[in-house]
């Protein structure tokens, strides 16, 4: 059976992730920080990059922090962390008008922990249900991201002119609904069962959910790491491009009230970003759909799509931006799906979680680098 319900668990979590990276400029504006080379601007850049830092740390850290909790329980904890993250932004920053930078650090750190723990544990939970269930779930990633960066930006533009705080509150509510779906509709697969399950007792005696299992898998790295590392490196390059340019530096180049698409055609910036992110959605969905249908190839080959997209974005012609984001996100979808497919097909299932965690950990190095360099890239390449 294909568990389509997994789509509605993954979808709201990536709405939360998108609210963090896609709406960061709204937070910056709320704090009264200018898009310049000032100390405050650099501090804000560091604050939002904590989402990638905590994401990186939790890739393996969940096996220590949640060592007595099975994968399914870790999924619920991850979703709770993301709810806390968006509520910190909605409450102290937007509702109570607090301008302290530590709220940004707290919110983005919690969000990084949430998405970093969720991704590997959710994929691990879905592995026993087969390729099709996991394929459906990863398709929810671009859908969730673009529900915010398209739907949210359209809602904040005319005629609705919704305040950003409503987007954050809607995201928190949707994640709670996703927790309900996970609880009621996704069964406990063999990877997700609690330590008290009778038929899992031999595995749990070896620490299958915690530190013992982690150290055991690391000691046996020759069984999985040599096949994986060069695939994961493609993810590092891809996530650098994604965090630096989609949206990344675009948020700080197209930062006026309006954008001129063509002579005489002027739209509000929020509406323009929604159009750009439509390319994002179509590219992400296309890449993930193709990734399980094309003949398996090394994911680094798909980096050519990302490179072409970045070249278009760097022309700083608004009419080219949607096509540029389409190509970057198509490359991202192909790389993500092909690596997920490779792990299921080529890595022994007993090393599934450590392989997924390692892949995402290595990829996150690119996210951290891209995010931390966004302000510098803007100063160098923006005209």
């Amino acid at each position: 059976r294909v568990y389509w319900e997994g789509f509605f668990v993954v979808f709201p979590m990536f709405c939360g992730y998108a609210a963090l990276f896609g709406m960061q400029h709204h937070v910056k504006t709320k704090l009264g920080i200018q898009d310049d080379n000032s100390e405050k601007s650099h501090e804000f850049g560091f604050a939002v990059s904590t989402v990638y830092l905590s994401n990186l740390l939790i890739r393996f850290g969940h096996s220590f922090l949640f060592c007595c909790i099975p994968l399914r329980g870790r999924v619920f904890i991850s979703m709770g962390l993301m709810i806390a993250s968006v509520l910190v932004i909605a409450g102290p920053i937007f509702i109570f008008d607090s301008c302290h930078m530590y709220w940004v650090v707290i919110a983005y750190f919690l969000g990084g922990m949430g998405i970093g723990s969720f991704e590997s544990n959710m994929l691990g939970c879905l592995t026993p249900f087969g390729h099709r269930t996991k394929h459906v779930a990863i398709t929810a990633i671009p859908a969730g991201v673009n529900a915010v960066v398209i739907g949210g930006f359209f809602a904040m533009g005319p005629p609705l002119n919704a305040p950003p705080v409503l987007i954050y509150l809607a995201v928190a509510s949707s994640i709670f609904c996703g927790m309900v779906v996970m609880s009621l509709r996704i069964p406990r697969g063999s990877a997700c069962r609690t330590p008290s399950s009778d038929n899992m007792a031999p595995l749990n005696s070896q620490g299958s959910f915690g530190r013992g299992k982690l150290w055991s898998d690391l000691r046996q790295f020759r069984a999985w790491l040599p096949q994986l590392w060069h695939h994961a490196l493609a993810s590092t390059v891809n996530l650098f491009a994604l965090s630096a340019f989609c949206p990344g530096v675009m948020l700080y180049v197209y930062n006026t009230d309006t954008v001129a698409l063509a002579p005489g055609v002027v739209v509000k910036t929020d509406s323009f970003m929604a159009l750009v992110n439509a390319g994002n959605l179509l590219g992400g969905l296309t890449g993930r759909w193709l990734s399980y249908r094309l003949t398996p190839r090394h994911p680094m080959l798909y980096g050519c799509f990302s490179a072409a997209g970045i070249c278009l974005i760097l022309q700083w012609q608004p009419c080219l931006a949607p096509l540029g984001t389409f190509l970057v996100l198509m490359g991202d979808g192909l790389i993500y799906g092909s690596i997920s497919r490779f792990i299921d097909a080529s890595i022994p299932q007993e090393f599934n979680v450590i392989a997924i965690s390692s892949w995402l950990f290595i990829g996150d190095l690119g996210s951290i680098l891209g995010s931390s360099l966004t302000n510098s890239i803007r100063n160098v390449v923006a005209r």
Side-chain angles (χ1 to χ4, degrees):
R1 177 189 166 183
V2 178
Y3 288 94
W4 299 91
E5 297 92 334
F7 181 97
F8 299 102
V9 180
V10 176
F11 176 88
M13 275 298 284
F14 280 86
C15 287
Y17 191 40
L20 295 179
F21 71 76
M23 296 177 61
Q24 60 181 276
H25 194 258
H26 291 82
V27 178
K28 191 175 186 180
T29 301
K30 180 68 176 177
L31 296 178
I33 301 173
Q34 299 297 315
D35 294 330
D36 52 27
N37 207 28
S38 66
E39 182 179 349
K40 278 289 185 182
S41 185
H42 284 286
E43 285 179 5
F44 182 82
F46 170 77
V48 298
S49 70
T50 57
V51 69
Y52 301 112
L53 176 61
S54 59
N55 193 342
L56 179 74
L57 295 175
I58 203 65
R59 292 302 191 189
F60 291 113
H62 66 83
S63 293
F64 292 90
L65 285 178
F66 314 132
C67 60
C68 298
I69 303 173
L71 304 189
R72 185 180 177 90
R74 296 177 194 179
V75 170
F76 287 110
I77 290 173
S78 304
M79 299 178 84
L81 288 170
M82 186 61 80
I83 290 175
S85 171
V86 295
L87 289 181
V88 166
I89 297 175
I93 295 176
F94 278 94
I95 295 177
F96 297 109
D97 296 320
S98 177
C99 293
H100 294 292
M101 192 71 74
Y102 60 74
W103 289 123
V104 181
V105 175
I106 291 170
Y108 278 75
F109 193 86
L110 289 175
M113 288 185 66
I115 200 67
S117 177
F118 175 84
E119 207 168 353
S120 54
N121 287 301
M122 186 65 188
L123 290 176
C125 277
L126 296 179
T127 295
F129 304 128
H131 284 314
R132 292 187 64 197
T133 293
K134 188 175 283 190
H135 189 200
V136 169
I138 69 171
T139 303
I141 295 175
V145 167
N146 288 282
V148 171
V149 297
I150 296 177
F153 275 90
F154 266 127
M156 290 185 290
L160 298 177
N161 295 310
V165 67
L166 289 184
I167 308 301
Y168 289 109
L169 293 175
V171 167
S173 300
S174 71
I175 297 171
F176 178 78
C177 293
M179 296 174 75
V180 174
V181 172
M182 180 72 183
S183 177
L184 299 180
R185 302 299 301 168
I186 306 297
R188 299 177 186 272
S190 60
C192 302
R193 292 176 182 162
T194 62
S196 60
S197 301
D198 293 338
N199 60 344
M200 291 292 287
L203 289 176
N204 286 311
S205 66
Q206 300 171 23
S208 64
F209 296 109
R211 292 185 292 266
K213 173 63 173 169
L214 175 63
W215 291 125
S216 174
D217 289 347
L218 290 175
R219 285 195 298 269
Q220 300 178 71
F221 69 92
R222 292 181 181 85
W224 54 272
L225 186 58
Q227 304 99 294
L228 177 68
W229 72 267
H230 46 94
H231 287 74
L233 189 60
S235 189
T236 304
V237 176
N238 168 60
L239 289 177
F240 171 81
L242 208 61
S243 61
F245 296 98
C246 289
V249 70
M250 293 180 66
L251 295 173
Y252 303 103
V253 172
Y254 300 111
N255 59 353
T256 55
D257 291 337
T258 60
V259 174
L261 292 177
V265 181
V266 178
V267 298
K268 287 198 68 173
T269 299
D270 283 341
S271 299
F272 167 72
M273 291 306 300
L275 178 63
V276 167
N277 289 317
N280 182 320
L281 171 64
L282 294 174
L285 290 174
T286 301
R288 281 167 173 77
W289 183 81
L290 289 173
S291 65
Y292 274 76
R293 288 168 171 79
L294 296 175
T295 301
R297 292 180 175 85
H298 196 286
M300 194 67 80
L301 293 174
Y302 300 127
C304 62
F305 291 102
S306 299
I310 290 171
C311 288
L312 290 177
I313 291 169
L314 291 179
Q315 301 304 308
W316 303 125
Q317 297 294 324
C319 58
L320 295 178
L323 178 58
T325 59
F326 172 86
L327 291 173
V328 173
L329 268 293
M330 182 176 174
D332 171 66
L334 286 165
I335 290 170
Y336 192 103
S338 64
I339 296 175
S340 176
R341 181 182 178 187
F342 170 80
I343 289 174
D344 288 345
S346 304
I347 305 294
Q349 187 167 344
E350 64 185 290
F351 302 114
N352 185 267
V353 175
I354 188 69
I356 292 172
S357 296
S358 299
W359 153 39
L360 297 173
F361 177 88
I362 295 170
D364 284 339
L365 297 173
S367 294
I368 292 175
L369 183 61
S371 176
S372 61
L373 291 178
T374 296
N375 204 54
S376 299
I377 292 171
R378 174 190 175 276
N379 294 332
V380 172
V381 303
R383 294 203 296 262

